[in-house]
């Protein structure tokens, strides 16, 4: 964040609005070498009469040789809590089955999979089709800093309704089926 101070309220108000702002915060990486470095942030194009303080004043940056890996498979990912218990997922497909991933060599070596993640705001209550973001994740599921091309894909979920009965055993069985179906589908 940046704290601006100044006596001229009009200039101050202008710089506080993103659409009329003239100043920018930059980090000079022109002398950076490979590795992890700390870089000071500078404020440029600040109108006279204003002062600015950026917090934090330094950022940590990892610099590496840019590498691209092509034809990386995409795995659809739907949390079982997003699936209505009255349905079973029959098939999950993505429009982009393989993508290109760009990052530094060290980060690329840590990629376990590329996931097409159903947004947490979505609930599967029947057949579904929607655009979802792609993320590179490591074996622990942590998102890695990468550029994925394309950066999103269309996920299609084909479902069928579970026969409803008043038995709670059937309800538990359908939840189990949902979990196993989702797990099986996400591995394809």
């Amino acid at each position: 964040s940046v704290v601006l101070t100044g006596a001229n309220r009009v200039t101050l108000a202008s710089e506080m609005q993103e659409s009329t702002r003239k100043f920018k915060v930059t980090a000079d990486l022109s002398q950076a070498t490979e590795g992890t470095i700390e870089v000071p942030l500078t404020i440029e194009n600040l109108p006279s009469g204003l002062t600015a303080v950026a917090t934090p004043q330094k950022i940590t940056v990892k610099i590496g040789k840019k590498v691209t890996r092509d034809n990386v498979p995409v795995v659809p990912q739907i949390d079982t809590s997003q699936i209505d218990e009255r349905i079973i997922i029959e098939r999950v497909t993505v429009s982009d089955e393989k993508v290109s991933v760009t990052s530094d060599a060290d980060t690329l070596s840590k990629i376990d999979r590329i996931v097409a993640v159903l947004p947490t705001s979505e609930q599967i209550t029947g057949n579904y089709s929607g655009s979802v973001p792609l993320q590179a994740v490591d074996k622990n599921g942590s998102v890695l800093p990468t550029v994925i091309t394309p950066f999103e894909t269309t996920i299609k979920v084909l479902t069928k309704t579970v026969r409803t009965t008043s038995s709670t055993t059937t309800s538990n069985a359908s939840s189990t089926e949902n979990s196993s179906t989702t797990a099986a589908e996400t591995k394809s």
Side-chain angles (χ1 to χ4, degrees):
S1 68
V2 176
V3 176
L4 294 173
T5 55
N8 185 329
R9 287 186 178 193
V10 173
T11 305
L12 191 57
S14 175
E15 290 301 312
M16 291 174 73
Q17 295 296 319
E18 191 173 348
S19 61
T20 57
R21 185 175 300 153
K22 293 182 182 99
F23 84 89
K24 59 185 177 180
V25 178
T26 61
D28 183 4
L29 301 176
S30 61
Q31 304 299 313
T33 58
E34 220 173 304
T36 301
I37 58 172
E38 207 170 68
V39 183
L41 295 175
T42 57
I43 298 172
E44 298 178 352
N45 301 330
L46 190 65
S48 60
L50 294 184
T51 58
V53 178
T55 305
Q57 294 183 340
K58 293 180 180 182
I59 58 171
T60 302
V61 179
K62 180 180 177 187
I63 306 287
K65 289 190 178 173
K66 183 175 162 182
V67 181
T68 299
R69 190 188 314 162
D70 294 321
N71 297 314
V72 182
V74 175
V75 179
Q77 183 175 306
I78 302 171
D79 191 281
T80 54
S81 68
Q82 294 175 273
I83 304 167
D84 188 294
E85 64 182 28
R86 295 168 292 192
I87 63 158
I88 295 175
I89 292 183
E90 288 191 316
R91 186 173 66 230
V92 179
T93 59
V94 290
S95 59
D96 299 283
E97 294 179 350
K98 296 187 185 286
V99 295
S100 295
V101 184
T102 302
S103 193
D104 64 282
D106 182 51
T107 301
L108 280 184
S109 71
K110 293 177 183 173
I111 295 174
D112 182 59
R113 62 196 181 280
I114 303 299
V115 292
V117 183
L118 185 71
T120 55
S121 60
E122 297 290 339
Q123 282 293 118
I124 302 296
T125 57
N127 292 340
Y128 174 87
S129 179
S131 186
V132 298
L134 295 173
Q135 298 175 330
V137 295
D138 65 14
K139 64 182 178 185
N140 300 320
S142 299
V143 177
L144 298 170
T146 59
V147 175
I148 301 172
T149 308
F151 64 91
E152 63 183 10
T153 190
T154 299
I155 189 170
K156 292 184 181 178
V157 182
L158 183 63
T159 64
K160 73 176 184 181
T161 306
V162 175
R163 290 187 188 156
T164 56
T165 65
S166 59
S167 167
T168 55
T169 307
T170 303
S171 175
N172 290 343
S174 67
S175 294
T176 304
E177 287 178 50
N178 284 345
S179 298
S180 62
T181 301
T182 305
E185 293 296 340
T186 58
K187 291 177 186 171
S188 61

